[in-house]
Amino acid sequence: MKRRRNGGSKHILMLKGKHIVLGISGGIAAYKSVFLLRLLVKEGAEVQVVITPNGKEFITPVTLSALSQHPVVCDFFTANTGEWHSHVSLGLWADLMVIAPATASTMAKMVTGVADNMLVTTYLSAKEHVMVAPAMDLDMWAHPSTQRNIEQLRRDGVEIVMPGSGELASGLSGKGRMAEPEEIVSRIKEYFSRSCDMEGMKVLITAGPTCERIDPVRYIGNYSSGKMGFAIAEECASRGAEVTLVAGPVSLSTVNPSIHRVDVESAVEMCEAARKAFANADVAVFAAAVADYRPAETAESKIKRENADEMTIRMVRNPDIAALCGKMKRAGQTTVGFALETDNERINAAHKLEKKNLDMVVMNSLRDKGAGFRTDTNKITIFAREGSVTEFPLKSKSEVARDIVDAMLRFRGNVDAECER
Ligand code: PMT
């Protein structure tokens, strides 16, 4: 009887055929990357290791090439043959790049684009998703510089597998231990399973503030930066959706080239663009902070200061984009609104769900530290039409975006299942 190579038990190779670039930088946690590599290969992935010169001081390329069955890339050239290693083709080959361990220095180079080694140049050429598992001493991890870089990497679309707490190589104890290889592998599997779960779906997202002109130099606006809506757009696009992002005036750029961005200024313009995209959308997420009113007239020239101590601007109501789309909604379309509250959070959120005919409301409260406008984090509670209420802890806006999209897909799945019954 023939024995199976993996010991006879039937094991589904979740990563079969996936091309993974494993980047290893110079930290003691590099020893764990050997186990990580072993697990990836066991799951059927084809792994190409790229190591920094410092990484080679911690583990030998011989071990890594034996396990990956590919030569390990470290230098731009092979010294004796003059052969050039193409970071571009490696970046294009990869379905995923995982950098584990990612040292403080490697992350700083990724943020600033200092491409002085094969690992960072490959990162700059990588077209697909990038995941990093930081590892360093607790004080280095806590340093504002490292934390700034982590935030910037998140904004650049990089997924962070957060370090754990415990004993560190320095003998100190605290946060900075690289995540265990098993945890990294499960994040990789999660990534591949969600990377196509929105394929074929059309999504409309509104984001940012609206600016309502008073005259050529002044407007009425609000504090929205667009970060929440942009994070949702990136999340949907990375999962295969066709995204139309209708954005008010923000200073953000999109990372995923497949996002179709429509820039607008006022609520009326946002409404027009959103209604157009909604006609063909499967899902709409209204994350924008839309002004409820606009000046009844916009002066053509700058309004001059008069001697009067007071001035009054007459305001007229703006269209409610979420409510209008709620009215147009047909079977199969899902609408997700936000509720930005300062008090009576639950009552107000439930009211908006009803009034705007939404399927889900994502409530964020300005009473929660780190939530709402401008921050890189948010704390949300999701209210769904069927009555469920789910609270989430404070997370980065990209993680919050993932929670919202997961909840929305679950909601759609439940609705489909109901219809089939
Ligand atoms: O952009 P950031 O700095 O990252 O901040 C994120 C955020 C705080 C703006 C975001 O998380 C958020 O809460 N967005 C909605 C803000 C808001 O205007 O909430 P609201 O409770 O006033 O509106 C309820 C819902 O109706 C929202 O989905 C809103 O987009 C929509 N609406 C409101 C008024 C209007 N005229 N048209 C609308 O579509």
Side-chain angles (χ1 to χ4, degrees), residues 86-206:
S86 170
H87 54 88
V88 177
S89 33
L90 253 184
L92 294 176
W93 174 84
D95 296 316
L96 172 74
M97 180 170 188
V98 184
I99 303 171
T103 59
S105 154
T106 288
M107 290 193 294
K109 287 179 185 180
M110 290 164 73
V111 165
T112 51
V114 175
D116 65 351
N117 63 37
M118 270 303 279
L119 194 156
V120 182
T121 44
T122 305
Y123 163 69
L124 294 180
S125 304
K127 283 259 181 274
E128 298 295 338
H129 194 60
V130 179
M131 216 178 255
V132 299
M136 65 201 72
D137 209 49
L138 74 166
D139 293 319
M140 291 176 78
W141 172 254
H143 197 280
S145 161
T146 307
Q147 292 306 312
R148 262 197 314 275
N149 289 337
I150 291 279
E151 271 325 309
Q152 188 53 50
L153 286 175
R154 278 203 177 107
R155 277 199 285 271
D156 293 344
V158 173
E159 183 175 342
I160 316 287
V161 186
M162 291 294 272
S165 293
E167 213 174 293
L168 300 163
S170 61
L172 298 171
S173 189
K175 196 158 184 172
R177 281 168 69 95
M178 187 175 96
E180 294 306 320
E182 291 77 5
E183 185 191 341
I184 300 173
V185 170
S186 94
R187 289 283 287 270
I188 292 171
K189 286 182 186 169
E190 264 175 41
Y191 164 69
F192 280 116
S193 64
R194 72 172 186 266
S195 67
C196 53
D197 61 1
M198 292 185 80
E199 236 157 56
M201 281 174 78
K202 291 193 171 76
V203 179
L204 156 69
I205 292 157
T206 67

Side-chain angles (χ1 to χ4, degrees), residues 236-265:
C236 293
S238 76
R239 295 166 83 145
E242 214 178 287
V243 178
T244 301
L245 173 64
V246 182
V250 292
S251 53
L252 297 176
S253 39
T254 50
V255 179
N256 194 311
S258 70
I259 296 173
H260 171 58
R261 176 171 171 176
V262 184
D263 288 306
V264 296
E265 187 179 287

Side-chain angles (χ1 to χ4, degrees), residues 205-213 219-230 245-252 261-271 286-293 318 321 340 372-374 397:
I205 292 157
T206 67
T210 63
C211 293
E212 311 299 329
R213 279 184 191 224
Y219 63 85
I220 292 168
N222 60 64
Y223 296 114
S224 172
S225 62
K227 285 179 185 174
M228 191 65 254
F230 274 58
L245 173 64
V246 182
V250 292
S251 53
L252 297 176
R261 176 171 171 176
V262 184
D263 288 306
V264 296
E265 187 179 287
S266 65
V268 169
E269 285 171 16
M270 184 175 275
C271 186
F286 304 101
V290 187
D292 288 318
Y293 294 88
N318 266 331
I321 305 165
L340 176 65
F373 291 128
R374 290 183 176 174
K397 279 187 173 159

